[in-house]
Amino acid sequence: MSSQPRQVYLAILGPTGGVGTCFLAQLEALQHRFLSAKSPTHLNVVYLARSATSLQVPFDKPISLSSWQSALSSSTTQALPLAKLAEHLKAAPQGSRSILVDNTASEQVAESYPTFLENGISVITPNKKGFSSSLPLWDAIYSAAANGDSPHPAKAGYIYHESSVGAGLPIICTLKDLLETGDMVTRIEGVFSGTMSFLFNSFMPSGGASDGGKFSDEVKKAKELGYTEPDPRDDLNGLDVARKLTILGRIAGLKVESPTSFPVQSLIPTELESCKSGDEFLSRLPEFDHKIEEVKKEAEREGKVLRYVGSIDVGKAELEVGLKKFDTGSAIGGLKGSDNVISFYTKRYGDRPLVVQGAGAGGEVTAMGVMADLVRVLGVL
């Protein structure tokens, strides 16, 4: 005799973005698998919210995943304040559990995670803000989580954010596995940005530096192909990489105050920081090609290539983001396309690091990482 499916209720923020849309498509495709598992689970989406409007339904009448887009588009219901949403999910039918899926990049939502966790609502998210902003917010989140330091773990929710670093790549779980099995992680180094990966693999390819174009031309090409933000300065300032490094540093046990508390090399010429638009920035960037060209030629003379990397020296508690030279035969130097690659140097792995490589951006792979977190939560609830 089959057991009755357990009921799990989902509230999803940011459903119409690239990651949110892909997540809901993957959830619809996997619903039958969850229901037919040895311990069946019925995943009920009961709340969807974008910036201003939302779709809210009773717990016993979940949203159809085949028609949610039209239903949300026609809804005029205002989104609930986050504290009210937590209260609503806490009131789910007895014996069920609730999960918040935050597919936004909102700092305000991230600041509300402790409230959800304290109310027994688990949180899964690719949002970097809660884990790379202030150290007190990081502490508050993990002090409220069942898989953190909650004083009442049986009543608290779980927090998972694998996709906050490397999209669907197993970066955070790999680091945690190394640490929790007693290995000593000494250094972490890698290319953490698909944008910067594509840019420098084009500007100075491992097959021959002479094949690369001018830096300003490569930035324009990256923007045209959709690899950069609408204003490329949001990539070139290095803050995205610094946020990811902050998260990994904290997981490794370092008290990293913020993404601006360690050296981060910006590739934005000082004279162009005040440009009023991304287009103005791109039009003036060629004036400064000669500066980075000199660095490129210096690397070429040494038989190396330039890559934009983040590195953590765990023993010295030092983090750094910027340009470095690498041998073309190394994992980082030989990188192609827009892949991310992260090397974990540990006592067990010795001189040959554990390397994780693959697509580190994109809606499908990021949503897969969020979905993997959902599976993790269902496994511990």
Side-chain angles (χ1 to χ4, degrees):
M1 182 177 176
S2 61
S3 60
Q4 288 293 317
R6 63 172 172 170
Q7 302 295 322
V8 175
Y9 298 97
L10 304 180
I12 302 174
L13 307 183
T16 57
V19 176
T21 301
C22 291
F23 175 80
L24 281 161
Q26 291 178 18
L27 183 62
E28 181 182 14
L30 289 172
Q31 272 192 323
H32 177 71
R33 182 183 298 180
F34 288 120
L35 269 175
S36 59
K38 188 175 181 181
S39 300
T41 300
H42 192 182
L43 296 173
N44 306 279
V45 178
V46 294
Y47 183 82
L48 296 172
R50 47 188 179 182
S51 55
T53 58
S54 69
L55 185 60
Q56 305 171 34
V57 298
F59 288 109
D60 60 347
K61 296 180 180 179
I63 297 166
S64 169
L65 295 186
S66 62
S67 58
W68 69 267
Q69 288 170 306
S70 58
L72 180 59
S73 295
S74 60
S75 175
T76 58
T77 305
Q78 287 189 331
L80 288 172
L82 294 167
K84 290 288 186 183
L85 177 58
E87 289 178 10
H88 175 64
L89 293 175
K90 186 179 181 181
Q94 188 174 3
S96 66
R97 300 302 292 265
S98 296
I99 300 173
L100 176 73
V101 184
D102 174 22
N103 285 323
T104 76
S106 166
E107 189 144 10
Q108 181 184 9
V109 175
E111 289 171 350
S112 73
Y113 293 165
T115 299
F116 285 93
L117 296 166
E118 288 164 357
N119 281 283
I121 301 153
S122 295
V123 177
I124 58 175
T125 180
N127 186 350
K128 291 185 280 288
K129 300 293 175 62
F131 314 99
S132 64
S133 297
S134 72
L135 189 57
L137 177 56
W138 167 279
D139 291 337
I141 290 170
Y142 276 95
S143 293
N147 52 335
D149 301 315
S150 171
H152 308 291
K155 297 180 179 180
Y158 291 82
I159 181 78
Y160 288 97
H161 55 101
E162 182 67 52
S163 291
S164 63
V165 179
L169 293 178
I171 304 300
I172 288 176
C173 64
T174 296
L175 176 57
K176 286 184 174 180
D177 284 349
L178 290 168
L179 295 169
E180 290 172 6
T181 58
D183 202 353
M184 180 184 295
V185 178
T186 57
R187 185 159 61 96
I188 304 168
E189 186 168 61
V191 175
F192 291 89
S193 164
T195 300
M196 292 300 209
S197 180
F198 178 83
L199 182 56
F200 280 93
N201 294 340
S202 301
F203 176 60
M204 198 172 187
S206 56
S210 58
D211 295 335
K214 293 181 178 179
F215 186 71
S216 60
D217 289 339
E218 298 297 350
V219 174
K220 289 176 184 175
K221 182 171 73 173
K223 182 177 186 295
E224 289 166 359
L225 293 173
Y227 283 106
T228 75
E229 295 294 332
D231 187 336
R233 287 175 295 181
D234 291 337
D235 295 296
L236 297 177
N237 63 15
L239 185 58
D240 178 66
V241 176
R243 284 190 177 279
K244 295 170 184 175
L245 220 61
T246 298
I247 294 169
L248 295 182
R250 289 173 175 174
I251 292 172
L254 304 181
K255 296 293 185 181
V256 186
E257 289 296 328
S258 74
T260 59
S261 63
F262 53 89
V264 178
Q265 181 182 3
S266 172
L267 299 183
I268 304 170
T270 305
E271 297 88 340
L272 302 186
E273 290 177 351
S274 60
C275 286
K276 295 180 179 179
S277 68
D279 289 339
E280 181 188 350
F281 168 75
L282 287 174
S283 69
R284 292 194 56 196
L285 189 57
E287 301 170 25
F288 302 89
D289 276 337
H290 65 281
K291 291 186 177 181
I292 198 165
E293 191 67 29
E294 291 172 4
V295 183
K296 176 181 178 179
K297 288 180 179 177
E298 181 182 317
E300 190 174 10
R301 285 193 294 269
E302 297 177 18
K304 298 183 177 184
V305 291
L306 289 175
R307 296 293 182 258
Y308 193 85
V309 301
S311 58
I312 304 173
D313 186 318
V314 179
K316 294 181 179 178
E318 293 178 352
L319 291 77
E320 185 177 9
V321 175
L323 287 176
K324 283 189 177 181
K325 298 175 227 176
F326 291 89
D327 293 329
T328 56
S330 65
I332 293 176
L335 200 60
K336 291 178 172 47
S338 60
D339 277 3
N340 285 187
V341 59
I342 291 85
S343 300
F344 295 95
Y345 293 84
T346 80
K347 183 177 180 180
R348 288 179 185 152
Y349 279 85
D351 295 333
R352 299 186 64 190
L354 170 59
V355 178
V356 179
Q357 179 177 342
E364 288 288 351
V365 292
T366 303
M368 182 274 290
V370 179
M371 183 61 66
D373 279 345
L374 176 59
V375 173
R376 289 186 184 96
V377 170
L378 294 177
V380 295
L381 286 179

